[in-house]
Amino acid sequence: MKTDTAPLNVNSLTPPQIVEELNRYVIGQKDAKRMVAIALRNRWRRQQLAPDLRDEVMPKNIIMIGPTGVGKTEIARRLAKLAQAPFVKVEASKFTEVGYVGRDVESIIRDLTELAINMVKTGRLADVQQKAEQQGEDRLLDLLLPPPPPRPISVESLADSTAPAGPDSYETTRSKLRLQLREGKLDERTVELEVKERGLPVGVISNIGGLEDLQSNLQDMLGGMLPGKKKNRRMKVSDALKQLTQEEAQKLIDMDEVVREAIAKVQQTGIVFLDEIDKIAGRERTAGPDVSREGVQRDLLPIVEGCTVNTKHGPVLTDHILFIAAGAFHVAKPSDLIPELQGRFPIRVELSPLTKDDFVRILTEPRGALVRQYQALLATEGLTVEFTQDGLEEIAELAVQVNERTENIGARRLFTIMERLLEEISFAGPEWPDKTVPITAAYVRERLKDIVKDQDLSRYIL
């Protein structure tokens, strides 16, 4: 049996195995899981092809259609984590057509690149951590016990065999200090350390397309022209060791190589989740705050289709980035998108609304299930919260009812109901003499009966 901590080799996972992994976090939605599993496996298949054919195989982008709270974002996020791929989630409704004030669509790729660089850098830092700790320890020992000045060599000192062996004595004392440092006996001592002050911050210039990147470049340029001053600070040995270890780790990694690897990861394995795609599905141009939805679609088209986006780290090709779009499509339909953009999302999958049985499973089955979260939180106070089966079914039934009567927000309704249900236990429970609390159907009805009966109140509270 595979443990939760066992590393996964995504290249060895078949589509059924990918679906099995997604099942540990997302309940139901079998069709959507199958589609994204095939898309992920196709990336591995593409890498096995000859170079001339590999470049011709484009990713099959996906549109997920379904109401909010049914698992669209979670499926994409878990897929990216499983693939160890750069992943960014953006709301399509936040972008505006080029020429208007607002974010331009190319910022998606810039954000994805920055995220990939952080991913690669974190991995490199972990690889050099042991060596960095050793070098940081050596620098700290130099502060605690500065090396002795070199002794002048003379004929008399060479002839005097009784002269004290300075270096040997120094090394012995240094070894003792190293042992005390590792045992934590020096943690409360203070040392004076030279640290670099932060440079002057550059304020936001504008969020008009393209100027976001200009601002970032200005910060880098001014940071090089006006390097931060260095000053001496007194700090505890434990804090100084962390500071020195971080500095040594930064020196051990090659940032140029990190950037090259990150750009390659973005181009070959990057995943972009475009939420609320239905909000820009209208083709008409309207005046006022609803700025040219069709214009945003046309700006998105070249990025989804495949183009080169200039970032401060260099050009990034978007040809093989996987785009997963999602929307409720209550009013608009996928066919309301411009034809060119429709053609770039050939795979469409509908996610089904959640049922009572789905809610019961969501409460208990995933690794981070809500029931487990609340039980663990309250266990820190010595409270044991036991959910009975009829209690879980009553919670699920209430979630279905409230979703039907008000707005259907899917599984997110469970957060609201659970918080209201356990409010009294969370507030007064630590002072109760009886530390075991059963959550039965009767308890659920008693706690929530007034809110559920009052339609107007339930709209506000649940």
Side-chain angles (χ1 to χ4, degrees), residues 165-182:
D168 291 341
S169 176
Y170 170 76
E171 289 300 332
T172 302
T173 307
R174 186 180 176 92
S175 297
K176 291 179 181 177
L177 271 179
R178 188 187 298 273
L179 182 61
Q180 291 177 344
L181 179 62
R182 291 178 177 176

Side-chain angles (χ1 to χ4, degrees), residues 25-290:
Y25 302 96
V26 184
I27 298 301
Q29 312 305 353
K30 179 181 176 181
D31 291 342
K33 290 174 183 173
R34 286 170 62 94
M35 291 300 182
V36 297
I38 292 170
L40 183 58
R41 186 62 175 178
N42 278 341
R43 288 191 154 185
W44 175 83
R45 291 167 177 159
R46 176 178 162 270
Q47 294 299 326
Q48 314 310 309
L49 301 176
D52 57 336
L53 184 57
R54 187 187 307 159
D55 290 338
E56 298 298 323
V57 178
M58 297 299 175
K60 307 303 184 289
N61 299 320
I62 302 168
I63 288 185
M64 294 184 182
I65 304 166
T68 184
V70 297
K72 301 187 295 294
T73 305
E74 190 66 9
I75 288 173
R77 189 167 67 88
R78 292 295 177 181
L79 182 76
K81 193 170 183 179
L82 183 63
Q84 298 170 0
F87 170 78
V88 65
K89 173 185 179 291
V90 295
E91 284 77 32
S93 56
K94 288 187 177 179
F95 297 97
T96 58
E97 185 178 359
V98 170
Y100 290 90
V101 174
R103 297 199 75 191
D104 70 294
V105 295
E106 288 190 352
S107 64
I108 298 171
I109 307 303
R110 291 194 287 268
D111 292 345
L112 190 64
T113 304
E114 292 292 340
L115 189 140
I117 288 172
N118 289 334
M119 280 180 62
V120 176
K121 185 178 178 182
T122 301
R124 294 290 180 89
L125 289 174
D127 293 339
V128 302
Q129 184 65 22
Q130 187 174 357
K131 187 174 181 181
E133 288 175 356
Q134 182 181 347
Q135 293 181 357
E137 188 180 80
D138 288 337
R139 284 182 60 188
L140 183 56
L141 288 171
D142 289 340
L143 292 173
L144 293 169
L145 184 67
R151 294 175 60 201
I153 300 175
S154 63
V155 176
E156 290 81 2
S157 64
L158 290 173
D160 186 5
S161 59
T162 63
D168 291 341
S169 176
Y170 170 76
E171 289 300 332
T172 302
T173 307
R174 186 180 176 92
S175 297
K176 291 179 181 177
L177 271 179
R178 188 187 298 273
L179 182 61
Q180 291 177 344
L181 179 62
R182 291 178 177 176
E183 291 175 348
K185 294 179 180 178
L186 305 178
D187 286 354
E188 296 305 313
R189 286 182 57 177
T190 59
V191 293
E192 194 171 82
L193 188 64
E194 189 178 61
V195 296
K196 185 177 180 181
E197 290 183 317
R198 292 185 178 180
L200 293 173
V202 179
V204 176
I205 298 172
S206 173
N207 60 355
I208 297 177
L211 289 187
E212 290 172 309
D213 215 22
L214 174 61
Q215 175 194 342
S216 182
N217 290 334
L218 268 177
Q219 287 176 328
D220 289 346
M221 182 180 68
L222 292 177
M225 294 172 58
L226 304 171
K229 296 180 181 179
K230 292 185 177 181
K231 67 174 184 177
N232 292 330
R233 282 182 54 196
R234 295 197 66 82
M235 61 178 71
K236 290 183 178 180
V237 164
S238 56
D239 296 330
L241 182 58
K242 293 177 184 176
Q243 175 76 21
L244 292 170
T245 300
Q246 289 175 2
E247 290 179 8
E248 292 302 312
Q250 295 288 344
K251 294 176 186 177
L252 289 170
I253 60 174
D254 182 354
M255 279 307 297
D256 291 336
E257 182 62 31
V258 167
V259 169
R260 283 193 293 271
E261 183 179 338
I263 290 178
K265 282 180 76 73
V266 168
Q267 293 180 155
Q268 301 301 322
T269 67
I271 298 176
V272 173
F273 185 76
L274 280 169
D275 203 5
E276 298 181 356
I277 192 75
D278 55 320
K279 300 294 193 303
I280 61 167
R283 296 194 189 181
E284 73 283 357
R285 289 184 177 268
T286 57
D290 190 11

Side-chain angles (χ1 to χ4, degrees), residues 61 63 92 274 277 280-281 283 293-305 323 325 334 336-348:
N61 299 320
I63 288 185
L274 280 169
I277 192 75
I280 61 167
R283 296 194 189 181
R293 292 176 290 178
E294 184 179 341
V296 178
Q297 294 183 59
R298 296 199 180 279
D299 289 344
L300 276 171
L301 182 61
I303 293 179
V304 178
E305 194 173 40
F323 288 85
D336 290 331
L337 294 167
I338 60 175
E340 299 91 334
L341 195 59
Q342 289 184 51
R344 291 298 165 183
F345 287 90
I347 301 176
R348 297 176 188 177

Side-chain angles (χ1 to χ4, degrees), residues 406-450:
T406 58
E407 188 72 26
N408 187 353
I409 61 172
R412 295 188 179 94
R413 185 69 66 188
L414 293 173
F415 287 88
T416 314
I417 291 177
M418 288 287 285
E419 195 63 33
R420 178 62 58 175
L421 175 66
L422 300 175
E423 178 189 8
E424 183 65 23
I425 301 173
S426 298
F427 182 77
E431 300 176 0
W432 289 353
D434 186 1
K435 295 295 185 180
T436 301
V437 185
I439 307 297
T440 62
Y443 181 88
V444 175
R445 285 192 291 269
E446 178 64 27
R447 286 291 304 159
L448 301 177
K449 63 180 181 180
D450 294 334

